[in-house]
Amino acid sequence: MALKSILIPTPPNYFFSKNDPDDQRLGEIAKPALLQSAKLKRNDFSIVGYPDDEGIRLSGGRAGAADAPKLIRQFLYKMTPAVLSDKTFSLFDFGDLQCTSDLATRHQDALAMTTYLHQQQTRVISFGGGHDYGYADAAGFLANYTGGKQKPMVINFDAHLDVRPTTNGLSSGTPFFRVLNEFKGSFDFIEIGLQSQCNSKSHWDWAKKQGALLYDLKTVEQRGMKNILSDSIFKNLTPDTPLFVSFDIDALSAFEAGGCSQAWVTGLKTQECLQFLSSLYQMADVRGLGIYEVSPPLDRDFQTSKTAALIAHHFLFETLN
């Protein structure tokens, strides 16, 4: 199957404009594009969406994340470029994955797409959908960056480990079980914001056995988010270390991001995460960001969709070279 045939173009009305040269919006910078026709250069930005929450439902979560890619785009494209940035960049929107096949095939389609985009050395931003697509995003990244001079790193912000075995099939709880098995020992894996009530000891022990570095919410609160960057695994980062960031929105507290399949009053704070990421982006060669499990039907005043758009906006302007 040709890559372009697995994607549905983003509707033109999503690309917001004030029609005012003194008040530019990201909808005027983002360009709709066909995957294999776009002339991509290193460090161009690419956006794709996964309007699919079957994996969440299979995990017993509440549906609604299938609506997220369109809402996150609409809020992102209404934002202005960062006011203190005068750097120009290219931003391509390749649309949303078609969701007409079975879930396993959809994951393979998404993997083929992200692998291709990383081969072009673009920076990939994806909007879920369920966190099961964290598998496709991380695996597409690792397929291109393992085996190089620098060991790649995957960081997952999440209340959940998402290392559930695939014995009972694929779901939003299985992405990192798959990635850790398929790329065993070839990348550094870190999870931040894990909550005690969301994870079994068996899954915790399994992840540790695979070499994962796990920071639960209590540890983050005691140490402070930015202080984690003083740990040896981060001190070993270089500007050439490939990095992928997976951000499950349920890592944040329900006060800041209640529109997700499972929200808790406990959780990370958005501003602290952004400050952490600002420093991290300066330490490594960040290649991608996936944002997952935003559920607009469960949201209040689109707060969670706006938060996701803010994280994407921050990624765009904090990673500009």
Side-chain angles (χ1 to χ4, degrees), residues 48-280:
V48 295
Y50 306 126
D52 184 1
D53 54 21
E54 181 179 353
I56 294 174
R57 288 184 279 111
L58 290 171
S59 286
R62 299 179 294 171
D67 294 339
K70 66 180 180 182
L71 266 297
I72 299 172
R73 275 189 180 91
Q74 287 175 325
F75 287 115
L76 177 64
Y77 290 162
K78 286 183 178 181
M79 293 179 176
T80 61
V83 69
L84 297 180
S85 175
D86 57 1
K87 295 181 179 179
T88 60
F89 62 96
S90 295
L91 174 59
F92 296 91
D93 188 323
F94 294 107
D96 288 343
L97 184 73
Q98 289 199 52
C99 295
T100 53
S101 58
D102 62 88
L103 185 62
T105 301
R106 298 199 296 271
H107 288 175
Q108 290 305 308
D109 288 344
L111 174 57
M113 176 176 62
T114 58
T115 299
Y116 173 80
L117 288 171
H118 283 295
Q119 286 172 346
Q120 310 310 305
Q121 297 189 306
T122 68
R123 288 184 168 134
V124 184
I125 303 172
S126 62
F127 300 139
H131 203 189
D132 44 304
Y133 283 94
Y135 161 75
D137 289 339
F141 159 75
L142 291 170
N144 283 278
Y145 291 104
T146 53
K149 292 182 179 180
Q150 299 290 329
K151 193 176 186 180
M153 176 180 287
V154 174
I155 296 184
N156 178 40
F157 290 82
D158 205 334
H160 305 84
L161 289 158
D162 285 348
V163 295
R164 191 175 299 278
T166 55
T167 311
N168 295 320
L170 304 177
S171 73
S172 62
T174 62
F176 296 115
F177 176 85
R178 300 174 71 187
V179 173
L180 286 166
N181 274 298
E182 291 183 23
F183 296 89
K184 189 179 296 288
S186 63
F187 70 103
D188 290 321
F189 182 53
I190 301 166
E191 302 208 72
I192 300 175
L194 301 165
Q195 297 199 39
S196 179
Q197 76 277 11
C198 297
N199 299 286
S200 75
K201 186 177 187 305
S202 174
H203 293 166
W204 185 279
D205 290 344
W206 183 87
K208 293 281 285 186
K209 189 175 180 180
Q210 309 314 305
L213 183 59
L214 309 178
Y215 292 95
D216 64 4
L217 182 62
K218 182 178 180 180
T219 299
V220 173
E221 290 174 339
Q222 288 176 340
R223 293 189 57 188
M225 177 75 84
K226 288 194 71 174
N227 290 330
I228 291 172
L229 290 171
S230 65
D231 289 353
S232 59
I233 194 166
F234 294 106
K235 284 186 175 180
N236 291 331
L237 292 177
T238 76
D240 296 322
T241 301
L243 171 69
F244 171 73
V245 176
S246 171
F247 203 111
D248 188 324
I249 210 71
D250 71 19
L252 303 176
S253 76
F255 296 112
E256 297 193 13
C260 63
S261 68
Q262 188 179 104
W264 298 92
V265 293
T266 49
L268 301 174
K269 296 179 175 61
T270 305
Q271 186 58 37
E272 291 179 354
C273 290
L274 295 180
Q275 290 171 350
F276 176 93
L277 288 169
S278 290
S279 297
L280 183 66

Side-chain angles (χ1 to χ4, degrees), residues 40-46 88-92 120-124 145 285-287 316 319-321:
L40 299 172
K41 303 187 300 296
R42 177 173 172 79
N43 292 340
D44 286 345
F45 293 95
S46 301
T88 60
F89 62 96
S90 295
L91 174 59
F92 296 91
Q120 310 310 305
Q121 297 189 306
T122 68
R123 288 184 168 134
V124 184
Y145 291 104
D285 181 19
V286 58
R287 306 312 309 166
L316 283 169
T319 59
L320 281 176
N321 293 330

Side-chain angles (χ1 to χ4, degrees), residues 273-309:
C273 290
L274 295 180
Q275 290 171 350
F276 176 93
L277 288 169
S278 290
S279 297
L280 183 66
Y281 293 160
Q282 302 308 309
M283 299 166 67
D285 181 19
V286 58
R287 306 312 309 166
L289 167 71
I291 304 174
Y292 312 96
E293 309 241 344
V294 174
S295 185
L298 304 175
D299 210 358
R300 180 183 69 254
D301 192 30
F302 303 111
Q303 181 186 45
T304 311
S305 296
K306 292 177 182 177
T307 297

